[in-house]
Amino acid sequence: RLEVLSKFGFNDRIMDEIKDYFYNMAYETGTLWENDSTVASCNHGFASHIIHLIIRDCFGIKEIDEENKVIYLSEYKSAFKNAEIMVPLKNGTLKLSVENGKRTADLKGGYTYIETESF
């Protein structure tokens, strides 16, 4: 479902649905669960795909080319009003900050970024 929303560019809705479904799990145990109750596994690898969605769709990190030290960012569609993410890279870091709906990038280690059209 979230991948379909992504395909059609509904980034705000993706973030709303992720928060609605996963927030209580993360708050209670610091992990994402297999199900939305504690009667089953309270840690499941497939749920980590949510982090990929947040990075790709909600922060707009389209691709990281480690070999050429280029980060491709899609047009930011304001999934967050205020947020920050730090992504470790082979020889540096990528820090994206969003303040009042405007995204800025801080790159370390000789990386550059290119903003691309929405994907």
Side-chain angles (χ1 to χ4, degrees):
R1 173 177 168 78
L2 295 174
E3 286 292 343
V4 171
L5 291 172
S6 171
K7 181 177 179 177
F8 292 100
F10 291 104
N11 297 358
D12 287 337
R13 184 141 179 211
I14 290 169
M15 199 63 233
D16 289 342
E17 292 194 18
I18 287 172
K19 284 189 270 185
D20 287 346
Y21 190 81
F22 290 98
Y23 178 80
N24 288 336
M25 314 175 189
Y27 181 79
E28 189 169 326
T29 63
T31 64
L32 303 177
W33 308 343
E34 183 175 353
N35 297 312
D36 65 347
S37 70
T38 58
V39 297
S41 168
C42 289
N43 194 353
H44 194 264
F46 182 74
S48 65
H49 184 69
I50 297 308
I51 303 306
H52 171 73
L53 289 169
I54 291 170
I55 290 171
R56 183 189 70 198
D57 298 323
C58 299
F59 278 97
I61 302 172
K62 184 175 181 180
E63 181 183 346
I64 298 174
D65 179 349
E66 294 271 10
E67 185 176 326
N68 296 304
K69 293 190 170 189
V70 178
I71 313 291
Y72 295 92
L73 301 174
S74 67
E75 176 185 3
Y76 186 66
K77 292 189 178 178
S78 188
F80 298 110
K81 300 300 179 227
N82 295 294
E84 185 175 276
I85 188 170
M86 181 155 324
V87 179
L89 305 168
K90 284 183 183 176
N91 296 306
T93 58
L94 164 62
K95 178 180 170 184
L96 291 179
S97 301
V98 179
E99 290 187 32
N100 299 317
K102 183 175 171 24
R103 179 184 65 192
T104 58
D106 180 21
L107 297 162
K108 304 281 191 240
Y111 287 81
T112 60
Y113 72 91
I114 297 171
E115 288 216 28
T116 64
E117 291 188 23
S118 203
F119 52 103

